[in-house]
Amino acid sequence: MKTNPKTYRKLISKQFDRDFASAIEIVEVPMPEPAAHQLLIQNKFAGINSGFDTILCQGKVPYLNLTPPFDLGVEAVGEVVAVGAEVRDFQLGDAVVTTARGGGYREYQVIDANLVIKVRAATPEVLTLMPTGISALVALEQVGEMRSNEVVLVTAAAGGTGHLAVQLAKLAGNHVIGTCGDDRKAELLKRLGCDRVINYRIENLDRVLKTEYPNGVNLVFDCVGKQVFDTCVDNLAMRGRLIVVGYIAEYGKSVEEITQPRIYHQLFWKAASVRGFLMPLYQEYAAAARDRLLDSFYSGKLQVAVDPTQFNGIESISTAVKYLLNGHNCGKVVVRF
């Protein structure tokens, strides 16, 4: 067993609060020893999920009944530094990915070996595929019933999830539209093969869709919400499908109350549909999706964009969450330990 420090630091939600920065606290805790079936992992990178982080710290994740204090962070990639006596499939120095809630925003973690995925190297690119890429693939195929030769629209397309959804839709043989908010993101989307990039700051999304896609959009992958959602619903094709993957425009904000005709007036006459997606309810597809994504990445079919902004250490996580919520990211935002 390697010699490790006696303590390490992690981030917890000390209380429920509307603001992420006000809810959290960095604490120092004793270094644990892995039980017989566990691994001790030194985290190298953790993925930032600002929307989930925010609503979790508000106590508004309906499938989790948590009482503060509780641990934060989900996906992490690191190296095995201690192995339980009964573990046979891992050894010291193995690069691994974990996706357990509470295992991300900490310098070390102990976790059951059967929840750990071995990878070639502990890189942020591999981290981005799990669970972000898995969510994109499962949402598109299982909820969106993605086919080929359709028009697919991805909102926030240069984000951690969106840039993977763009590529997956292209690999399936579709015409892909991606929305973004600046030239830097637009260039990324063009490099990834996006057929039509819409910079919503200089182009009107509704006008572009009605002018260039008069027959509508077959499949929408939306994680923005608010007016973008309304516009996408209005531009669905006959039998079009819209997947609600999130609503980042409202995270950390008061819910906007609107008065307009009910949504079935728009859906009924097109036989269109709006479908919610939540990865915990589709876990039976996760393993196969993970294997396909890793194969596509290692074979060069899938590119992973990691935001170049450096966030280093536990102290930087709050800033990284704010950075992502404000829409500054181009690719997946990660913190380095």
Side-chain angles (χ1 to χ4, degrees):
M1 181 180 297
K2 284 189 176 181
T3 301
N4 295 307
K6 294 181 179 180
T7 62
Y8 73 97
R9 298 179 305 159
K10 66 177 183 177
L11 196 67
I12 64 168
S13 180
K14 63 182 178 180
Q15 62 191 24
F16 288 133
D17 197 288
R18 179 175 175 178
D19 180 62
F20 177 83
S22 300
I24 61 172
E25 180 180 1
I26 298 172
V27 296
E28 189 167 343
V29 295
M31 182 66 65
E33 294 287 340
H37 58 285
Q38 293 181 324
L39 300 172
L40 175 62
I41 298 167
Q42 183 178 10
N43 287 345
K44 299 296 185 181
F45 301 93
I48 300 294
N49 299 291
S50 59
F52 182 74
D53 294 334
T54 300
I55 58 179
L56 189 67
C57 286
Q58 293 173 343
K60 294 181 179 178
V61 178
Y63 62 87
L64 292 175
N65 184 18
L66 300 173
T67 301
F70 53 83
D71 295 337
L72 295 169
V74 181
E75 64 263 38
V77 61
E79 294 181 357
V80 175
V81 294
V83 179
E86 296 179 6
V87 176
R88 298 290 178 264
D89 296 331
F90 295 89
Q91 59 186 6
L92 298 183
D94 280 347
V96 293
V97 174
T98 61
T99 56
R101 186 195 58 78
Y105 297 164
R106 57 203 301 151
E107 295 165 335
Y108 289 81
Q109 61 168 315
V110 164
I111 185 171
D112 288 356
N114 63 355
L115 299 177
V116 178
I117 305 301
K118 190 183 301 186
V119 291
R120 295 182 184 178
T123 66
E125 287 78 14
V126 172
L127 167 70
T128 303
L129 297 175
M130 294 178 276
T132 305
I134 292 174
S135 293
L137 181 57
V138 174
L140 287 169
E141 292 189 346
Q142 303 303 325
V143 182
E145 300 179 72
M146 182 172 66
R147 309 180 183 102
S148 300
N149 301 312
E150 291 191 315
V151 175
V152 178
L153 169 63
V154 179
T155 66
T161 307
H163 86 280
L164 295 172
V166 164
Q167 295 178 80
L168 293 169
K170 284 299 297 178
L171 288 171
N174 293 297
H175 177 97
V176 180
I177 309 165
T179 71
C180 65
D182 62 48
D183 292 340
R184 179 178 55 115
K185 297 178 181 181
E187 286 302 317
L188 170 65
L189 294 177
K190 291 174 184 176
R191 291 198 304 271
L192 296 178
C194 211
D195 296 288
R196 178 61 162 98
V197 178
I198 303 174
N199 183 339
Y200 62 82
R201 297 192 188 278
I202 59 177
E203 293 188 279
N204 182 283
L205 177 61
D206 185 60
R207 186 177 302 119
V208 169
L209 293 178
K210 283 184 167 54
T211 301
E212 299 182 22
Y213 301 91
N215 293 324
V217 177
N218 303 108
L219 177 60
V220 177
F221 182 94
D222 180 41
C223 53
V224 175
K226 293 189 77 169
Q227 185 59 49
V228 171
F229 169 85
D230 296 340
T231 298
C232 290
V233 169
D234 193 46
N235 285 279
L236 283 173
M238 295 294 177
R239 298 176 66 176
R241 296 92 62 202
L242 185 151
I243 317 167
V244 179
V245 188
Y247 44 96
I248 197 168
E250 289 193 86
Y251 292 154
K253 302 173 184 176
S254 299
V255 176
E256 180 183 10
E257 295 186 7
I258 57 173
T259 303
Q260 64 181 44
R262 289 191 169 94
I263 196 171
Y264 50 70
H265 291 285
Q266 294 163 285
L267 300 179
F268 177 76
W269 300 104
K270 296 179 180 179
S273 59
V274 173
R275 309 171 181 189
F277 170 76
L278 195 63
M279 191 62 221
L281 301 180
Y282 287 84
Q283 282 299 319
E284 66 268 31
Y285 302 102
R290 176 198 69 217
D291 292 343
R292 285 173 55 194
L293 288 166
L294 286 172
D295 287 344
S296 295
F297 174 66
Y298 288 137
S299 65
K301 295 178 182 178
L302 194 65
Q303 300 178 54
V304 175
V306 177
D307 188 275
T309 307
Q310 294 280 323
F311 296 101
N312 297 305
I314 295 288
E315 299 87 354
S316 71
I317 291 174
S318 179
T319 303
V321 167
K322 184 177 180 181
Y323 175 85
L324 184 49
L325 280 178
N326 288 335
H328 298 314
N329 66 300
C330 190
K332 180 70 173 179
V333 177
V334 302
V335 59
R336 294 158 169 81
F337 297 111

